[in-house]
Amino acid sequence: MSFENAKANLKEFGRELNLEALDFDENYTCILGIDNTFSLHITYEPNSDRLYLYSPILDGLPKNDKYRLKLYERLLEGSMLGGQMAGGGIGVATKEELILMHCVLDMGLGVDENALRKFAPLFVETVEKWREIAKKICAGEEPEPFQLPLPPQESRSFGKPGEKYLKI
């Protein structure tokens, strides 16, 4: 039942993007390119009935220890209780030099089939903000203070003329 809900959520999200063929692969994952800049990974986990959204914030950690420490501090501050991470968190794979932001959507009984469609704009906008912050810190610049994106119901939606949308 929950996987059916996850598939319905992915289908509704695809409709919003004018992509009718969105589907999970054999690993229960769907990967979308966002503005040819980064990827949005959507993975259903059958054991927990959850849909995981994750995207890279940075690929390649700063070599400068001062910048790396500043980046880690900023990410930890933003991740406190998910406050600046759209309710999710951040993970660092030091060996792979990769930083990922992630969020979880429950796909259990009673979850709306529009949950992903409603949440994805907030997640993508938050990833974009953190990618910019990380880029500036790595360049030795002081990033602007983090500003929360608008909630999904007030946020700019995908594909509307004159408004922000995802280019896939």
Side-chain angles (χ1 to χ4, degrees), residues 67-143:
Y67 298 159
R68 190 169 51 249
L69 177 60
K70 184 174 182 128
L71 177 63
Y72 288 168
E73 287 175 347
R74 188 69 181 266
L75 290 168
L76 284 170
E77 287 172 6
S79 192
M80 177 87 64
L81 300 176
Q84 297 175 0
M85 300 286 173
I90 205 86
V92 178
T94 52
K95 288 181 183 175
E96 294 81 5
E97 295 195 22
L98 178 65
I99 297 175
L100 289 179
M101 188 178 121
H102 67 276
C103 287
V104 179
L105 294 175
D106 184 33
M107 289 289 115
L109 207 54
V111 173
D112 183 13
E113 68 182 19
N114 293 301
L116 176 60
R117 180 185 60 78
K118 291 175 182 176
F119 180 72
L122 173 67
F123 182 78
V124 168
E125 193 169 341
T126 304
V127 167
E128 288 174 334
K129 286 177 181 272
W130 278 106
R131 288 177 60 83
E132 185 62 31
I133 289 169
K135 181 179 168 185
K136 285 187 175 187
I137 291 172
C138 290
E141 301 172 22
E142 186 61 38

Side-chain angles (χ1 to χ4, degrees), residues 17-54:
L17 300 173
N18 295 317
L19 298 171
E20 296 297 321
L22 283 188
D23 203 2
F24 293 107
D25 65 15
E26 65 278 356
N27 297 314
Y28 302 108
T29 298
C30 178
I31 302 172
L32 303 172
I34 309 297
D35 291 338
N36 294 321
T37 315
F38 66 95
S39 55
L40 169 62
H41 300 244
I42 303 167
T43 299
Y44 175 73
E45 211 295 306
N47 294 324
S48 65
D49 293 332
R50 293 179 174 167
L51 199 59
Y52 291 88
L53 282 73
Y54 50 101

